[in-house]
Amino acid sequence: MSGQTALPHPEPEDFSLSTVLKALGDPERLTIVAQLAQGPQDIGECFRDNPNVPKSTRSHLMKVLREAGVIRNDPTPNGPGRRVTLRRDDLEARFPGLLASILASSQL
Amino acid sequence: MSGQTALPHPEPEDFSLSTVLKALGDPERLTIVAQLAQGPQDIGECFRDNPNVPKSTRSHLMKVLREAGVIRNDPTPNGPGRRVTLRRDDLEARFPGLLASILASSQL
């Protein structure tokens, strides 16, 4: 079942600054990340502010964020869904202060 | 003479966070910005670390940075060339702490 697929996630030492910035350099992805800063979400919730985004586009947006190291996208432990988590600690370890400054700027 | 053309530059209040992040989310553009953090440069110097970048690509890279508000690209006061300046104060005014954290991360 696709909901239970374990997807690959890069290690923090493999994060690239330009790849992280590119992942965040898109209004829809930035909105998702700002939401996730409030806490993990089921994948459907990530698009509550952009409900008209097609499913194929949603998959791509999440893939770019995951492959950059910005989010984790994991099977829900006890269900068929998927849980999305901001990798705040991993990003902080690799690029201290970066995510905090971006999130603060996203509120301006 | 093209060297004397005044190009448009956005006002800080018109800067968009995702546009700034996208502009910096490219290794060549990030390298240019990290160099400009040391001080203004003539436009040719901006590519000293990427000497094989074709002229058309150079123009596009500089345009993306300029239109995002990251750099100024002005005619040299007393010559035919162009001078490129990081808009550090304007970025700081619009997105406090953002550029500093990105530049710090670019050194890691």
Side-chain angles (χ1 to χ4, degrees):
Chain A
M1 170 188 304
S2 67
Q4 299 306 316
T5 305
L7 298 170
H9 293 85
E11 297 297 325
E13 59 265 32
D14 295 325
F15 293 177
S16 145
L17 178 60
S18 60
T19 304
V20 169
L21 296 176
K22 186 176 180 180
L24 296 173
D26 170 271
E28 287 168 341
R29 290 195 293 265
L30 198 53
T31 297
I32 292 168
V33 168
Q35 287 178 19
L36 290 172
Q38 309 303 313
Q41 292 187 326
D42 290 335
I43 199 160
E45 294 177 80
C46 293
F47 295 92
R48 65 170 186 230
D49 288 352
N50 290 309
N52 296 323
V53 177
K55 188 166 181 180
S56 61
T57 306
R58 294 183 184 211
S59 296
H60 182 68
L61 293 171
M62 301 314 272
K63 181 171 185 272
V64 171
L65 288 170
R66 174 176 55 79
E67 291 184 344
V70 176
I71 63 167
R72 287 198 61 89
N73 178 349
D74 295 304
T76 307
N78 300 309
R82 301 197 69 86
R83 193 75 171 158
V84 184
T85 311
L86 184 60
R87 297 182 69 179
R88 193 191 287 266
D89 291 349
D90 289 338
L91 286 164
E92 181 64 20
R94 180 72 178 87
F95 301 122
L98 180 70
L99 181 65
S101 75
I102 292 172
L103 290 172
S105 294
S106 76
Q107 307 296 319
L108 298 177
Chain B
M1 172 187 305
S2 66
Q4 298 306 315
T5 304
L7 297 170
H9 294 84
E11 295 297 325
E13 59 266 31
D14 294 326
F15 292 178
S16 145
L17 177 59
S18 61
T19 304
V20 169
L21 296 177
K22 185 175 182 181
L24 296 173
D26 169 272
E28 287 168 342
R29 291 194 294 265
L30 198 52
T31 297
I32 292 167
V33 169
Q35 286 179 20
L36 290 171
Q38 310 302 314
Q41 293 186 325
D42 290 336
I43 199 161
E45 294 177 80
C46 293
F47 294 91
R48 65 169 186 229
D49 288 352
N50 290 309
N52 296 322
V53 177
K55 187 165 181 180
S56 62
T57 306
R58 295 183 184 211
S59 296
H60 182 68
L61 292 172
M62 301 313 273
K63 180 171 185 271
V64 171
L65 288 170
R66 174 176 55 80
E67 290 184 345
V70 176
I71 63 167
R72 287 198 61 89
N73 178 349
D74 295 304
T76 307
N78 299 311
R82 300 197 70 85
R83 194 75 172 156
V84 183
T85 311
L86 184 60
R87 297 182 68 179
R88 192 190 288 267
D89 292 349
D90 290 337
L91 286 164
E92 181 65 19
R94 180 71 179 86
F95 301 123
L98 180 70
L99 180 65
S101 75
I102 291 172
L103 290 173
S105 293
S106 75
Q107 307 297 319
L108 299 177

